[in-house]
């Protein structure tokens, strides 16, 4: 099994501990990358047998997964190796020799048409392209997240401005109502005075020895509503308009004026 010094393997490690090494390795034909032109194929069987084909010459070896340190023991006729699963994607499986930065690169022959490295530089380029795509994906996701955050912040500010505007409008309307309001005691006073004046007028008219029948009829019909309702309402309206006029004169540019 040809290995290569891969100093930056730790930067590319993409093998999750949740993955089952046996499931990844078994029932597949793996071509071991080398730049010698020889075709070396590894077939891992679930029984622990490893079939090695070198240019068509088959050698039976064994392999074993050690859960204690998550390593593989590959034993051949001449030598045994302890390796660790360092990286895997849909094409490439990288085994790192224990305690070194030496790596062997296994290519899934089912997907070999998508990746046919001619040199070690092609292997490195594969990782660089993967890293670049990952970086682009992360950048895109970051920008998308940043955009969503900005959009939510924009919506939050717009909502806050709307609430503040509604609150301000409510305050202005409340203030305007206060300006237009005539004190309750003032209204009662106006109604009482009007009623007293009406009573005095009736008393005066009734004190005459001969009150014209027309006056006697029209006074209650016309004078009553006028003194009891219309005149007090008119006086209250005059007071309201006077208050609003005085306010606008005193504060000509006040925002509350639009609600008066």
């Amino acid at each position: 099994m040809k290995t290569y010094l891969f100093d930056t393997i730790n930067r590319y490690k993409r093998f999750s501990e949740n993955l089952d090494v046996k499931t990844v390795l078994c029932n597949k034909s793996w071509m071991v990358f080398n730049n010698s032109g020889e075709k070396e194929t590894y077939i891992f069987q679930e029984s622990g047998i490893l079939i090695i084909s070198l240019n068509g010459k088959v050698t039976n070896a064994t392999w074993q997964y050690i859960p204690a340190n998550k390593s593989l023991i590959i034993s051949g006729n001449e030598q045994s190796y302890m390796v660790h699963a360092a990286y895997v994607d849909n094409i490439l499986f990288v085994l790192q020799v224990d305690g070194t930065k030496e790596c062997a690169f296994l290519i899934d022959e089912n997907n070999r048409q998508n990746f046919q490295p001619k040199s070690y530089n092609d292997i490195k380029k594969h990782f660089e392209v993967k890293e670049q795509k990952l970086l682009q994906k992360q950048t895109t996701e970051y920008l998308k997240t940043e955009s969503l955050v900005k959009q939510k912040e924009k919506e939050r500010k717009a909502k806050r401005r709307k609430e503040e505007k509604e609150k301000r409008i409510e305050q202005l309307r409340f203030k305007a109502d206060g300006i237009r309001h005539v004190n309750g005691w003032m209204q009662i006073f106006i109604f009482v005075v009007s009623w007293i004046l009406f009573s005095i007028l009736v008393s005066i008219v009734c004190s005459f020895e001969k009150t014209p029948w027309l006056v006697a009829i029209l006074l209650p019909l016309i004078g009553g509503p006028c003194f009891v309702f219309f005149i007090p309402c008119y006086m209250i309206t005059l007071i309201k308009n006077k208050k609003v006029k005085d306010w606008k004169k005193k504060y000509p540019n006040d925002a509350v004026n639009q609600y008066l």
Side-chain angles (χ1 to χ4, degrees):
M1 181 172 63
K2 179 70 173 177
T3 60
Y4 296 86
L5 180 63
F6 197 34
D7 293 329
T8 56
I9 184 60
N10 291 330
R11 200 171 81 196
Y12 299 107
K13 280 192 173 181
R14 298 285 189 275
F15 195 87
S16 172
E17 293 183 0
N18 296 325
L19 288 177
D20 186 352
V21 175
K22 292 183 178 181
T23 302
V24 175
L25 282 176
C26 294
N27 302 317
K28 292 180 183 179
S29 178
W30 297 96
M31 188 191 76
V32 181
F33 169 76
N34 61 65
N35 52 8
S36 63
E38 295 181 325
K39 183 179 180 182
E40 186 178 10
T41 304
Y42 277 30
I43 300 176
F44 295 85
Q45 295 186 322
E46 293 182 4
S47 61
I49 295 174
L50 172 60
I51 299 174
I52 302 175
S53 173
L54 182 61
N55 294 327
K57 296 179 181 181
V58 176
T59 301
N60 287 324
T62 60
W63 73 281
Q64 183 182 4
Y65 178 64
I66 310 298
N69 63 348
K70 299 179 177 61
S71 65
L72 295 174
I73 303 297
I74 298 176
S75 302
N77 294 332
E78 298 179 357
Q79 195 171 7
S80 297
Y81 296 93
M82 176 180 282
V83 296
H84 301 277
Y87 177 92
V88 65
D89 57 27
N90 60 334
I91 297 175
L92 200 62
F93 191 96
V94 180
L95 297 175
Q96 183 179 8
V97 179
D98 183 56
T100 72
K101 294 183 180 179
E102 294 285 334
C103 295
F105 304 97
L106 281 60
I107 302 168
D108 185 355
E109 288 199 298
N110 292 328
N111 298 319
R112 192 181 171 214
Q113 66 274 11
N114 298 323
F115 182 56
Q116 299 182 16
K118 302 297 182 183
S119 66
Y120 179 53
N121 287 334
D122 293 338
I123 294 288
K124 292 195 293 185
K125 187 176 181 181
H126 174 80
F127 283 97
E128 290 170 359
V129 170
K130 280 279 186 179
E131 186 177 37
Q132 187 177 10
K133 288 182 178 180
L134 179 63
L135 182 61
Q136 288 176 349
K137 182 180 178 181
Q138 291 174 342
T139 302
T140 301
E141 291 176 352
Y142 172 78
L143 292 176
K144 184 178 179 180
T145 303
E146 187 73 12
S147 177
L148 288 175
V149 170
K150 289 182 179 179
Q151 180 64 26
K152 288 183 179 180
E153 180 66 16
K154 185 177 179 181
E155 292 174 356
R156 187 183 66 81
K157 288 182 179 180
K159 183 178 179 182
R160 186 175 63 186
R161 285 196 297 268
K162 182 180 179 182
E163 291 175 350
E164 289 176 351
K165 182 179 179 181
E166 291 175 351
K167 184 179 179 180
R168 174 61 177 164
I169 290 173
E170 187 64 25
Q171 290 174 343
L172 290 174
R173 287 175 176 170
F174 181 78
K175 188 176 181 180
D177 290 339
I179 295 170
R180 291 192 301 263
H181 179 71
V182 177
N183 189 278
W185 291 107
M186 177 66 72
Q187 296 182 40
I188 293 172
F189 175 76
I190 292 172
F191 278 100
V192 170
V193 170
S194 298
W195 178 258
I196 292 173
L197 290 176
F198 176 68
S199 300
I200 293 173
L201 180 62
V202 171
S203 300
I204 292 173
V205 171
C206 292
S207 64
F208 295 147
E209 292 182 0
K210 292 183 178 181
T211 303
W213 65 270
L214 185 61
V215 174
I217 294 174
L218 294 179
L219 184 62
L221 293 177
I222 299 176
C226 287
F227 279 92
V228 175
F229 181 75
F230 292 112
I231 292 176
C233 288
Y234 178 71
M235 293 297 296
I236 291 171
T237 302
L238 287 179
I239 294 173
K240 287 182 178 180
N241 293 339
K242 180 67 167 55
K243 290 181 67 177
V244 170
K245 185 178 180 181
D246 291 344
W247 176 272
K248 289 184 176 181
K249 184 178 179 181
K250 187 175 181 180
Y251 306 103
N253 299 322
D254 198 292
V256 76
N257 292 342
Q258 61 182 310
Y259 299 101
L260 292 175

